[in-house]
Each structure stands twice: as C-alpha cells, then as structure tokens.
C-alpha cells in the first residue's frame, strides 16, 4: 500500500486548461472521492496518477517514488473505468486472471489468486460464465476483482457505478466501500454524483474549473463550505443563498422552516412565496421564491414528515432561519467569511 501526492500539478491541452496548481495528498489506505461537474478536471487528475496523461508541471508521488516519468505498468496501480472493459470472449475466470497472465505469473498462483479474489467479491460461482451472461452488478464486481487481483498499491475508480440503475447503485456503493475497507488499498474514486461522494469517501475533494475548491469530510464540506460553489453543489437540495447589502447569506433547506417551528430568540424571518410542494414520504420539499437584494431568487425548504408542518402552494408564508444556522460569504470573492452585520427588512442584523 502507499500514499499518493500531487504537488503543484498543472495539465494543459494546448491552450485549454485541464487542471491547475493541484496539491493533493491521499493517505495510505484512505478512500478519497473526487467530485465535480462534467469537465471539472477530476478524471484528468485520475489519469495523471495512472500515467495515462503527463503533467506539464509539478510532481506526482506514489509512496516514496516520483512517478512522472514512469509508464502506467510501472506504477503498480489498478484502474476501473465506467464501461468495465471486460473481454466478451473470455470467461469471468479468464477476465480476472488476465493482468496476472500478462505479468507472466505462475499458472498455479494465478488460479489461487483468482479464486481468492472471486470469493472476496462473491462471484466465485460465476467463474465459468461470459460477461454477456452477467447482470450489470455482476459485471461491475468482475471489473473490480480484475483490478484487485494484482494487489495494487493504488486503486483508481472512474465512475464505476454510473451504468447501474438507482437501486443497484445504492447497494453497490455499500459493497464497494466494504471491499475497500477489507483490502485497505489507497483508493481514489471519481464521480459527479454528490450523494455518492458524501456517502462513500473518508474525505471528499470538490473539483471545479480545473481546481480543487475544498477537501474535507462530507460533514465538513456540508456544514462549512469554503465558497458558494461548494455550498450549492453539495446537498440535495443544496444550500439557499440570498444576496444582502454587505454579504451573501446561506442556509440549508432543513433549517428553513415556518416561523412557528423556529425556537431561536431572534430568528431571521423571510417571507416565502410557495410555488409547489413535493411529498417524498419522510419529508416534503417546498419550492418557492424569496426577496434578495437583486430581486426574487429561488429557495427550497425541507419539512420532515414527523414535524407535522405543512404549507399550501400559491401562498406566501412567513419562514425563518435561526441566526446560528446562517453561513456568510464574501460578495466579491464568493469565499466563506466570518459573520458580518447585514440589513434585513430595513433592520441591521448583527
């Protein structure tokens, strides 16, 4: 096993920015998720670590080795792609053992490692089947087993669950995390799904426009977003933002409640024009608009079913946020800042 470190890494494609000034350390045995929108640079980071791309500047380390000039097969990494890339003419057993055969490992050792790895992923009963005879979840396990059988120092996963349906993806997330803990392999996982990122990673790195905006635990990122991008990218629904005279204030939908449900002594009362209400079983999501310095802006509230709270669409209701639930952002830099006084309904709030 090994740690992974990127120091001041840049990658350009001609004049087009891929990533810029990436500084990242993944601890030995850690499961780190890179999350961001399409084109943000997260897969570029993965490909640079794998050796499929060469950085323009900076240094990439796997363990104590600088690997910038090493070929992919010299880095002792395994990578799983979105498509799985299984060989259709080979059995499951042959697919899993392929990297070992390529490395000219002894035949008996190959068989032992394939059988052991197949049992780990609970696919030992499928060893004689072809990929066309497998379900999506089973193909995903075969791809993971083929990557693990080499006993790599680093495991790189590029959206490996995106081809699965919603129900199966939820189950696969839990299984994959369990497998990684058993193996203890340093893992980098790329996804555009923020729910997937927050539920799986020991830490999460949010990537946007070729830069890492914030790294931390899911709880850190959700409760203390570094900037307005992180605030509105993570969470479902994401944080509400309202432009005020001296700052931007943010608050999560679950903290935006009818005024009668907020126990704070001096909450921020915000008239909320409700447009629609979505009943989702455990909660109802209330969509509407509130006043901002720049005019009407969209806002969302999440009301727990157990709270007994309800509102009607087409009406304006007094909602409120406790002051300690507010997050403040600088209007110029969009970065999180210390609480600052602002004007609300003609009253100075501090």
């Amino acid at each position: 096993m090994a740690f992974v470190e990127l120091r001041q890494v840049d990658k350009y494609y001609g004049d087009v920015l891929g990533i810029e000034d990436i500084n990242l350390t993944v601890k030995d045995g850690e499961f780190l998720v890179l999350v961001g929108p399409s084109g943000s640079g997260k897969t570029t980071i993965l490909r640079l670590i794998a050796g499929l791309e060469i950085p323009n500047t900076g240094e990439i380390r796997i363990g104590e080795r600088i690997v910038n000039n090493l070929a992919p097969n010299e880095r002792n990494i395994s990578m799983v792609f979105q498509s799985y890339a299984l060989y259709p003419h080979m059995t499951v057993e042959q697919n899993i053992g392929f990297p070992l055969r390529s490395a000219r490992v002894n035949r008996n050792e190959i068989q032992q490692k394939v059988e052991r790895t197949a049992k780990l992923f609970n696919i030992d009963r499928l060893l004689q089947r072809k990929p066309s005879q497998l379900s999506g979840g089973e193909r995903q396990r075969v791809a993971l087993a083929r990557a693990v059988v080499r006993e790599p120092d680093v495991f790189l996963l590029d959206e490996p669950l995106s081809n699965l349906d919603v129900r199966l993806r939820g189950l696969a997330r839990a299984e994959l995390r369990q497998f990684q803990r058993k193996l203890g392999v340093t893992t980098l996982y790329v996804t555009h799904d923020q729910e997937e990122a927050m539920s799986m990673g020991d830490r999460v790195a949010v990537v946007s426009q070729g830069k890492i905006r914030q790294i931390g635990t899911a709880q850190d990122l959700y409760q203390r977003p570094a900037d307005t991008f992180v605030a509105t990218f993570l969470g479902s629904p994401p944080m509400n933002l309202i432009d005020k005279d001296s700052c931007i204030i943010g608050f999560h939908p679950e903290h935006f409640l009818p005024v009668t449900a907020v126990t704070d002594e001096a909450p921020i009362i915000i008239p909320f024009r409700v447009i629609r209400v979505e009943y989702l079983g455990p909660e109802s999501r209330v969509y509407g608009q509130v006043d901002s310095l720049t005019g009407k802006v969209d806002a969302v509230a999440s009301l727990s079913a157990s709270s007994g709270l309800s509102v009607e669409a087409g009406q304006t209701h007094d909602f409120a946020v406790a002051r300690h639930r507010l997050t403040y952002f600088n209007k110029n830099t969009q970065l999180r800042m210390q609480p600052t006084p602002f004007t609300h309904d003609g009253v100075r709030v501090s």
Side-chain angles (χ1 to χ4, degrees):
M1 311 307 171
F3 67 87
V4 176
E5 187 173 18
L6 283 73
R7 298 179 181 176
Q8 298 178 316
V9 173
D10 295 342
K11 176 63 181 177
Y12 287 83
Y13 300 93
D15 295 330
V16 179
L17 171 67
I19 59 170
E20 183 179 36
D21 195 28
I22 297 296
N23 292 281
L24 175 67
T25 300
V26 187
K27 293 173 282 189
D28 187 4
E30 183 178 22
F31 192 115
L32 181 97
V33 178
L34 298 167
V35 64
S38 297
S40 60
K42 54 191 186 294
T43 295
T44 299
I45 294 173
L46 214 64
R47 290 174 63 85
L48 285 164
I49 296 168
L52 302 176
E53 304 276 1
I54 303 300
N56 293 92
T57 61
E59 185 177 277
I60 301 173
R61 288 177 175 266
I62 298 177
E64 299 300 330
R65 298 188 301 163
I66 298 174
V67 300
N68 290 47
N69 298 318
L70 295 183
N73 63 346
E74 298 176 297
R75 300 187 182 201
N76 197 25
I77 56 94
S78 284
M79 191 165 183
V80 175
F81 298 93
Q82 179 179 345
S83 64
Y84 306 149
L86 300 178
Y87 297 107
H89 63 287
M90 293 183 183
T91 64
V92 168
E93 183 177 17
Q94 291 168 334
N95 266 284
I96 296 173
F98 182 80
L100 299 178
R101 292 196 302 275
S102 299
R104 301 184 184 279
V105 175
N106 176 275
R107 182 179 298 180
N108 290 334
E109 186 178 351
I110 291 176
Q111 184 175 358
Q112 291 172 6
K113 288 188 174 183
V114 168
E115 290 177 355
R116 184 172 66 245
T117 306
K119 286 181 180 178
L120 173 66
F121 287 93
N122 196 26
I123 53 175
D124 48 313
R125 71 190 189 285
L126 307 174
L127 288 175
Q128 301 310 313
R129 294 188 189 181
K130 298 285 184 65
S132 61
Q133 299 172 299
L134 305 177
S135 68
E138 289 167 343
R139 287 195 292 270
Q140 182 245 352
R141 290 187 183 190
V142 174
L144 293 171
R146 184 178 60 184
V148 165
V149 76
R150 294 181 57 248
E151 300 178 358
D153 289 332
V154 180
F155 204 12
L156 306 176
L157 305 173
D158 190 4
E159 306 214 39
L161 307 183
S162 59
N163 289 333
L164 304 179
D165 62 48
V166 173
R167 176 182 168 279
L168 193 55
R169 192 159 62 238
L171 294 172
R173 279 204 302 257
E175 285 186 349
L176 178 56
R177 194 65 179 94
Q178 183 180 5
F179 294 146
Q180 192 272 340
R181 286 197 178 105
K182 284 183 180 178
L183 296 165
V185 180
T186 305
T187 301
L188 285 91
Y189 184 103
V190 161
T191 182
H192 65 275
D193 185 328
Q194 52 89 19
E195 182 178 329
E196 196 166 278
M198 295 178 73
S199 66
M200 294 183 72
D202 294 320
R203 288 188 303 154
V204 178
V206 180
V207 185
S208 173
Q209 298 181 330
K211 297 184 178 181
I212 294 178
R213 308 294 285 260
Q214 188 175 1
I215 304 176
T217 65
Q219 185 176 16
D220 286 340
L221 270 57
Y222 186 74
Q223 295 183 353
R224 292 173 288 279
D227 57 28
T228 55
F229 175 81
V230 177
T232 54
F233 185 76
L234 294 180
S236 180
M239 181 178 281
N240 297 303
L241 299 179
I242 300 179
D243 197 2
K244 293 296 182 181
D245 59 327
S246 59
C247 63
I248 298 170
I249 61 169
F251 47 90
H252 287 296
E254 64 271 22
H255 300 144
F256 188 39
L257 302 171
V259 67
T260 55
V262 179
T263 57
D264 194 65
E265 290 185 1
I268 306 300
I269 300 174
I270 303 172
F272 185 28
R273 175 67 177 175
V274 176
I275 297 173
R276 75 180 193 277
V277 179
E278 294 181 352
Y279 175 73
L280 301 175
E283 66 171 354
S284 292
R285 289 183 184 172
V286 185
Y287 296 85
Q289 292 189 320
V290 298
D291 288 327
S292 178
L293 193 65
T294 55
K296 298 286 186 183
V297 296
D298 294 334
V300 187
S302 294
L303 305 182
S304 169
S306 61
S307 69
L309 299 170
S310 63
V311 293
E312 293 184 12
Q315 298 184 9
T316 298
H317 301 265
D318 279 342
F319 271 54
V321 184
R323 296 193 189 196
H324 70 277
R325 298 294 190 184
L326 296 178
T327 302
Y328 299 77
F329 301 95
N330 185 288
K331 296 180 69 170
N332 295 321
T333 66
Q334 307 292 299
L335 298 176
R336 190 179 76 245
M337 60 186 292
Q338 293 297 318
T340 186
F342 63 90
T343 302
H344 179 72
D345 283 347
V347 177
R348 199 66 175 164
V349 177
S350 59

